[in-house]
């Protein structure tokens, strides 16, 4: 360690090891600590320099071309004005533009009035879901033994849609992060539409605006579990339901599956922030909020000012500040510039965006302490309630995580790094019988992940159709790769493959974890400051607040006032409706060639770029302030108690797990079913990827053909898990012992034909796939494969090449 301190760099783990209990330090260890401190100062300077360089490069790369574009716009506008003046039409163009601009101003103001009216009506109705589909409420969380404000809805299939009760149902959990439910069914091509289009029953878990008194997140999880049981009871002939969680609903889904491992089918995590410390230096500024703004004390104080209730409008305001150009100017300018066509889309979205929901203080504090500042879920330290730990490894259902580089709220590192920090390596995922599949998108933003981006909807469609076969994958870590061939983006033809991945593949998404050491100090400070506030200040704040005062503070929140004040209730605004009606009758838009429209576009682009430049500079200063305070040696020392992550097993220890040891003892036991599954797993191991057409053939064999058809889903999963362990730890013996499982020549011939049928024609097989198949035949005493098997051998009549012996 001393050599490293004097001549090299400490890793984050080595640094924390050097910063151990000072009461036991020897002189040599003090030198080590001084060396570690010096290394950390160097690392701090390096991180801050790297962050600044990346941010400045990003600013230059983004704003340089935009500035040149503005210059081009300016020249085009000036040329247009000059040409109009030369043609003698400048005065007429100006009059036409001013008339058009005035009309658009009236129509824009009237649209904002309508937004205010919708806001007031939506609030009066209790902010119901913004689903475009009809629904019926089946269960109300208010009536459960542990009451909460959640409820279960059944989506009523629209006219022309056919839903089959025997198909696996979908349950969608939307985020409760300041907004209401329904964004996952906001448009026809969103998650609900994709599932309904494939004939699946769809259910939605929504929530009312106000939480029940004393409601906790544990109560919410209990309610969600009961809702899943209700859906399962309604579809006794279907497989366990798919649970799709969006953003905050994603980590809620993860917690639900971890605490109820036998309750769910595959779970889909769409843009879910799980590893909240993760991110790349120079990017993802939202993760620094806890360190810059003070941690848990702010939501605690805001909840106290709300008489025990946290106002979700504060969360929405934070989201808006991520992109001030869009939220404070751009969306309004788009409305103004395209006021003849834009109002319906604007009002639909604002109905959801302006529906502000409330959380109890206990709920908000748990979210901040356990997730966003404490990051305890990933460290296996989170407790849903006293004595009830949440262990992600308990999940048995397949996990599909969707992330995007275009997501500025949940970057891919936060959506995926929990995998690295929960499992020793990809082999442990296999050993535990788990299937984790992730997808990465380059462009789609946070809302587009679960609303209806033209690109993302294709990926959701592929997920929906591929879920039929995804459970036939051997346990392991995969990336779902969607390849496009021809046609425009919205109409491309896609094929899907599952590429085996390692933890190193996931690590490449990030730039390392050394920067995360700084967050441990934030977590400790947040915890301690929150305790001090709870003991010394909270009694006085709570004593000073009454419910009328709290309600008044909510009503006076700027996000609400800007809507309610600009509504028909305001006598100064009400006349806009009549004015807008007259304007629509006499609407005379300016010609697209009007030069003053180019001047208007130049002005708008300049304003938007100015706001974007402010945002980028602010984010850079945020990051510099964060690392300047929390990446110092003292701050690292201070946060050492909150830094350790989950203790992971060494790769050498995995073979000693009881599940592995007991399975390897049965390597020579089994029959036809075990032999076929073992060979299929060995083929996957040799290929490294599985195309969906091959996966579908495998799924058909394993679920629709005897002897597999007669197996229960639990038995099929058990066989697949056990044979995966055998192929993983004893691949050579797994092949050598195949004759022990297949004792008759007829069974051996049928088994290898079934296995050959899955990858398809010999000419399409990779060399190693064909070599593995030939090795199976050699061990079983069969001639080499020379002809294709294009028909399912198990689909033959029982008397025509069927099995001689039943699977043991």
């Amino acid at each position: 360690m001393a050599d490293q301190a004097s001549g090299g760099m400490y890793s984050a783990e080595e640094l924390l090891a050097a910063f151990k209990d000072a009461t036991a330090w020897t002189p040599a260890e003090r030198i080590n600590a001084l060396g570690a401190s010096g290394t950390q100062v160097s690392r701090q300077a390096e991180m801050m320099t790297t962050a600044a360089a990346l941010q400045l490069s990003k600013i230059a790369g983004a704003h340089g071309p935009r500035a040149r574009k503005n210059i081009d716009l300016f020249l085009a506008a000036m040329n247009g004005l000059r040409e109009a003046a030369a043609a003698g039409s400048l005065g007429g163009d100006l009059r036409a533009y001013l008339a058009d601009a005035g009309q658009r101003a009236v129509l824009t103001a009237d649209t904002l009035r309508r937004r205010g009216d919708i806001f007031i009506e939506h609030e009066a109705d209790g902010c119901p879901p913004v689903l475009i589909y009809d629904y019926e409420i089946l269960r109300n969380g208010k009536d459960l033994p542990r009451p909460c404000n959640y409820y279960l809805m059944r989506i009523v299939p629209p006219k022309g849609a056919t839903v089959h009760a025997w198909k696996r149902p979908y349950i969608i959990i939307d985020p409760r992060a300041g907004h209401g439910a329904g964004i996952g069914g906001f448009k026809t091509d969103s998650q609900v539409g994709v599932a309904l289009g494939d004939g699946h029953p769809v259910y939605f878990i929504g929530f009312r605006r106000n939480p029940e008194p004393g409601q906790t997140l544990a109560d919410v999880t209990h309610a969600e579990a009961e809702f899943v049981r209700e859906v399962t009871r309604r579809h006794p002939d279907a497989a366990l339901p798919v649970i799709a969680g969006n953003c905050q609903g994603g980590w809620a889904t993860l917690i639900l599956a971890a605490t109820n491992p036998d309750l769910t089918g595959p779970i889909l995590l769409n843009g879910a922030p799980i590893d909240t410390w993760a991110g790349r230096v120079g990017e993802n500024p939202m993760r620094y909020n806890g360190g810059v703004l003070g941690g848990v004390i702010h939501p605690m104080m805001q909840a106290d000012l709300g008489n025990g209730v946290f106002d979700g409008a504060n969360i929405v305001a934070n989201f808006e500040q991520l992109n001030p150009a869009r939220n404070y100017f751009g969306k309004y300018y788009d409305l103004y510039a395209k006021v003849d066509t834009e109002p319906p889309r604007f009002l639909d979205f604002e109905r959801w965006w302006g529906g502000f929901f409330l959380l109890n203080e206990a709920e908000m504090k748990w979210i901040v302490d356990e997730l966003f500042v404490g990051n305890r879920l990933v460290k296996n330290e989170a407790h849903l309630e006293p004595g009830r730990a949440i262990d992600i490894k308990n999940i048995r259902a397949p996990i599909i995580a969707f992330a995007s580089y275009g997501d500025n709220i949940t970057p891919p590192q936060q959506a995926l790094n929990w995998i690295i920090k929960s499992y020793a390596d990809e082999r442990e995922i296999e050993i535990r019988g788990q299937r984790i599949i992730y997808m990465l998108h380059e462009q789609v933003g946070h809302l587009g992940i679960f609303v209806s981006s033209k690109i993302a909807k294709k990926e959701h469609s592929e997920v929906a159709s591929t879920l039929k076969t995804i459970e036939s994958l051997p346990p392991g870590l995969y990336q779902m790769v969607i390849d496009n061939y021809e046609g425009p983006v919205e109409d491309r033809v896609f094929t899907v493959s599952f590429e085996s991945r390692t933890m190193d593949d996931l690590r490449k998404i990030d730039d390392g974890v050394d920067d995360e050491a700084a967050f441990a100090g934030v977590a400790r400070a947040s915890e301690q400051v929150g305790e001090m506030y709870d003991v010394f200040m909270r009694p006085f704040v709570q004593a000073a607040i009454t419910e009328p005062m709290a309600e008044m503070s909510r009503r006076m929140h700027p996000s609400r006032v800007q809507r309610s004040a600009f509504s028909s209730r305001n006598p100064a605004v009400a006349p806009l409706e009549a004015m807008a009606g007259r304007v629509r009758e006499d609407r005379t838009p300016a010609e697209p060639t009007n030069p003053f429209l180019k001047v208007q576009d130049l002005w708008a682009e300049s304003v938007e770029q100015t706001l974007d430049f402010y945002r980028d500079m602010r984010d850079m200063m945020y990051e510099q302030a964060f690392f300047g305070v929390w990446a110092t040696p003292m701050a690292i020392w201070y946060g050492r108690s909150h830094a350790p992550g989950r203790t992971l097993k060494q790769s050498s220890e995995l073979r000693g797990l009881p599940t592995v040891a007991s399975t390897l003892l049965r390597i020579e036991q089994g029959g036809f079913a075990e032999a076929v599954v073992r060979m299929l797993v060995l083929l996957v191991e040799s290929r490294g990827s599985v195309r969906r057409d091959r996966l579908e053939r495998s799924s058909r064999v394993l679920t629709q053909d005897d002897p597999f058809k007669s197996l229960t889903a639990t038995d099929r999963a058990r066989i697949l898990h056990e044979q995966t362990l055998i192929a993983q730890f004893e691949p050579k013996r797994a092949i050598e012992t195949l004759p022990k499982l297949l004792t008759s020549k007829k069974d051996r011939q049928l088994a290898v034909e079934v296995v050959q049928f899955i990858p398809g024609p010999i000419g399409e097989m990779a060399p190693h796939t064909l070599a593995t198949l030939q090795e199976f035949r050699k061990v079983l005493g069969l001639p080499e494969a020379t002809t294709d098997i294009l028909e399912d051998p198990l689909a033959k009549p029982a008397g025509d090449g069927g099995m001689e012996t039943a699977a043991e």
Side-chain angles (χ1 to χ4, degrees):
M1 185 73 75
D3 291 338
Q4 276 190 300
S6 60
M9 294 290 288
Y10 280 75
S11 69
E13 293 80 4
E14 291 167 336
L15 175 71
L16 292 171
F19 285 171
K20 60 183 182 181
D21 187 359
T23 60
W25 273 353
T26 65
E29 287 170 330
R30 290 186 181 276
I31 293 175
N32 280 350
L34 287 173
S37 298
T39 299
Q40 180 57 29
V41 170
S42 175
R43 179 183 288 108
Q44 179 188 17
E46 181 184 2
M47 282 193 297
M48 295 178 68
T49 303
T50 300
L54 289 171
Q55 292 278 17
L56 289 172
S57 176
K58 182 172 67 175
I59 290 171
H63 293 280
R66 290 179 69 176
R68 289 191 292 272
K69 178 183 175 183
N70 283 344
I71 293 173
D72 292 340
L73 286 174
F74 174 78
L75 294 175
M78 293 303 101
N79 287 335
L81 292 174
R82 188 181 304 112
E83 291 171 0
S89 62
L90 186 62
D93 287 339
L94 178 60
R95 287 191 296 273
Y97 172 77
L98 291 176
D100 174 41
Q103 289 178 337
R104 282 188 283 128
V106 172
L107 294 176
T108 299
D110 184 60
T111 302
L112 295 178
R113 175 196 63 80
R114 291 162 62 192
R115 180 183 74 165
D117 291 349
I118 290 171
F119 168 76
I120 291 173
E121 179 184 356
H122 195 53
E123 287 264 309
D125 291 342
C127 296
V130 295
L131 291 163
I132 65 167
Y133 300 92
D134 291 333
Y135 61 88
E136 59 174 329
I137 296 179
L138 302 178
R139 296 290 302 273
N140 197 326
K142 187 176 183 179
D143 302 326
L144 296 176
R146 301 177 63 164
C148 69
N149 64 336
Y150 280 63
Y151 52 86
L152 174 66
M153 298 177 282
R154 183 185 75 88
I155 302 298
V156 177
K159 186 177 180 180
T162 302
V163 169
H164 305 284
W166 53 266
K167 280 202 166 188
R168 186 196 295 271
Y170 275 65
I171 302 175
I172 298 172
I173 303 178
D174 259 357
R176 182 170 164 237
H179 298 108
I183 195 68
F186 186 61
K187 297 183 179 181
T188 55
D189 51 10
S190 57
Q191 292 168 312
V192 173
V194 168
L196 287 175
D198 200 31
H200 294 271
V202 180
Y203 297 83
F204 224 93
I205 293 180
F207 38 86
R208 299 187 305 279
R209 180 180 55 195
N210 298 323
E212 290 294 311
Q215 173 180 312
T216 66
L217 284 177
D219 298 331
V220 172
T221 303
H222 279 279
E224 290 170 340
E226 178 54 33
F227 296 158
V228 174
R229 294 187 188 97
E230 176 66 23
V231 172
T232 303
R233 287 192 290 266
R234 287 174 169 266
H235 298 274
D237 298 327
L240 290 174
V242 173
I243 316 294
N246 299 325
C247 188
Q248 179 269 348
W251 57 254
T253 299
L254 198 73
I255 292 173
L256 171 66
T259 52
N260 299 273
D262 299 324
L263 197 59
T264 77
I267 63 174
L268 275 62
L269 312 178
N270 295 309
I274 299 170
D275 185 6
T276 54
W277 289 2
R280 297 176 66 93
V281 172
E283 302 175 16
N284 317 131
M286 191 175 181
R287 65 179 179 143
Y288 304 121
N289 279 356
V292 177
L293 301 179
V296 76
I297 187 173
H298 284 286
M300 290 175 68
M301 186 176 294
Q302 288 170 346
D304 287 341
L305 294 175
N307 200 30
V309 174
F310 182 87
D311 189 354
N314 295 312
I315 305 176
V316 178
N318 283 338
F319 289 149
E320 290 182 333
Q321 291 171 17
L322 280 174
N323 192 351
R326 184 64 200 163
N327 292 304
Y328 300 145
F329 176 78
K331 68 178 181 181
Y332 297 108
Y333 176 72
D334 285 349
L335 173 63
Y336 171 73
K338 298 179 285 188
V339 75
D340 296 308
T341 58
E342 184 70 6
R345 189 209 64 79
F346 176 85
L347 292 174
D348 280 347
F349 181 78
E350 286 292 305
R351 181 169 175 260
W352 175 72
W353 190 255
F356 305 114
F357 279 59
L358 310 179
L359 297 92
N360 281 340
E361 187 269 346
E363 296 179 285
M364 194 64 197
K365 188 174 185 299
W366 193 98
I367 292 170
V368 173
D369 274 345
E370 306 293 322
L371 285 172
F372 288 101
V373 174
N375 205 28
R376 292 173 182 163
L377 181 60
V378 171
K379 295 189 288 184
N380 199 34
E381 296 175 356
H383 284 72
L384 185 62
E385 49 195 339
R388 191 178 186 190
I390 304 169
D391 189 349
I392 294 174
K393 290 184 181 180
N394 286 340
I395 300 174
R396 293 292 174 263
I399 301 172
I400 302 166
F402 185 25
S404 171
Y405 288 108
D407 189 343
N408 66 340
I409 294 178
T410 305
Q413 297 82 13
Q414 294 187 9
L416 301 177
N417 275 14
W418 62 270
I419 304 171
I420 303 170
K421 297 174 182 178
S422 299
Y423 296 92
D425 57 22
E426 60 279 0
R427 290 205 307 160
E428 185 179 359
I429 298 175
E430 299 173 8
I431 291 166
R432 295 184 180 276
Q434 181 56 278
R435 298 162 190 80
I436 300 178
I437 300 97
Y438 67 91
M439 294 183 295
L440 276 172
H441 201 284
E442 293 292 333
Q443 300 172 347
V444 64
H446 187 69
L447 288 180
I449 288 178
F450 43 86
V451 179
S452 66
S453 165
K454 286 185 176 180
I455 302 173
K457 74 177 182 181
K458 290 292 184 182
E459 301 193 344
H460 282 302
S461 179
E462 291 296 347
V463 170
S465 61
T466 305
L467 277 174
K468 304 169 187 175
T469 55
I470 212 167
E471 288 174 300
S472 296
L473 278 172
L477 175 65
Y478 301 89
Q479 181 177 2
M480 183 174 173
V481 179
I482 300 179
D483 305 309
N484 53 304
Y485 290 120
E486 296 178 354
V489 170
E490 63 272 18
D491 296 316
R492 283 176 178 167
V493 178
F494 291 84
T495 59
V496 176
S497 62
F498 293 88
E499 304 289 341
S500 293
R501 291 292 185 250
T502 67
M503 295 302 187
D504 286 338
D505 292 316
L506 284 179
R507 291 187 183 97
K508 292 176 184 177
I509 299 171
D510 205 348
D511 57 358
V513 297
D514 279 356
D515 57 312
E516 297 180 22
F519 289 87
V522 176
R524 186 178 183 186
S526 172
E527 188 178 282
Q528 292 182 338
V529 172
E531 289 291 339
M532 291 172 62
Y533 170 77
D534 187 54
V535 174
F536 297 110
M537 292 184 62
R538 167 166 274 184
F540 302 101
V541 176
Q542 290 179 336
I545 300 298
T546 63
E547 181 56 30
M549 293 170 62
E551 180 61 24
M552 179 58 68
S553 71
R554 287 190 284 270
R555 290 182 179 276
M556 295 305 295
H557 192 284
S559 296
R560 289 189 178 87
V561 170
Q562 66 170 301
R563 290 168 169 81
S564 60
F566 209 87
S567 69
S568 297
R569 291 186 178 182
N570 185 337
V573 174
L576 282 171
E577 183 175 9
M579 292 175 61
R582 292 192 295 271
V583 166
R584 291 188 186 95
E585 293 176 359
D586 302 327
R587 180 77 174 103
T588 52
E591 293 296 326
T593 56
N594 192 304
F596 291 97
L597 289 176
K598 295 181 179 179
V599 175
Q600 172 189 293
D601 290 340
L602 170 64
W603 167 78
E605 177 60 29
S606 300
V607 172
E608 194 158 347
Q609 183 177 1
T610 299
L611 290 172
D612 282 343
F613 182 76
Y614 152 76
R615 175 203 63 199
D616 294 340
M617 293 298 294
R618 177 204 66 189
D619 291 348
M620 183 175 69
M621 297 308 297
Y622 246 53
E623 190 167 33
Q624 292 295 306
F626 178 84
F627 286 126
V629 172
W630 295 108
T632 63
M634 182 62 70
I636 299 296
W637 162 264
Y638 172 72
R640 69 195 185 283
S641 60
H642 288 59
R646 179 174 190 148
T647 301
L648 302 178
K649 291 183 177 293
Q650 298 294 323
S651 297
S652 58
E653 297 179 285
L654 297 177
R655 186 183 178 99
L657 291 175
T659 303
V660 178
S662 62
T663 299
L664 294 180
L665 289 174
R666 298 192 300 274
I667 194 170
E668 297 183 2
Q669 299 176 15
F672 185 89
E674 285 79 4
V676 169
V677 170
R678 183 183 298 182
M679 287 188 281
L680 289 176
V681 171
L682 287 164
L683 277 186
V684 172
E685 294 284 338
S686 70
R687 284 198 305 269
S689 65
V690 188
R691 288 181 62 91
R692 196 180 73 182
D693 57 344
R694 297 173 179 177
L695 185 59
E696 287 176 345
R697 287 195 291 270
S698 175
S699 177
R700 183 165 76 246
V701 167
L702 297 181
T703 59
Q704 299 179 23
D705 295 339
D706 281 325
F708 304 101
K709 183 178 180 180
S710 59
L711 297 172
T712 65
T714 301
D715 286 338
R716 279 195 295 270
R718 175 185 56 77
I719 292 173
L720 191 56
H721 184 200
E722 289 178 348
Q723 298 310 314
T724 299
L725 293 180
I726 290 170
Q728 173 67 241
F729 286 96
E730 292 284 357
K732 186 176 180 181
R733 286 192 63 210
I735 297 176
E736 292 174 349
T737 55
L738 284 173
K740 298 283 187 180
L741 279 62
L742 299 167
T743 56
S744 74
K745 184 175 181 180
K746 189 173 184 180
D747 279 358
R748 293 179 182 184
Q749 182 67 40
L750 182 59
V752 294
E753 287 180 0
V754 171
V755 173
Q756 184 180 336
F757 163 70
I758 303 301
I762 292 175
E764 296 181 6
M765 294 183 192
H768 45 272
T769 300
L770 180 58
T772 305
L773 274 172
Q774 303 293 25
E775 188 175 1
F776 294 157
R777 286 180 164 270
K778 181 178 179 181
V779 166
L780 293 172
L782 300 174
E784 288 191 352
T786 56
T787 58
D788 293 333
I789 306 294
L790 303 180
E791 299 293 333
D792 182 359
L794 292 179
K796 297 177 181 179
D800 183 17
M803 288 177 54
E804 181 174 289
T805 59
E808 295 178 11

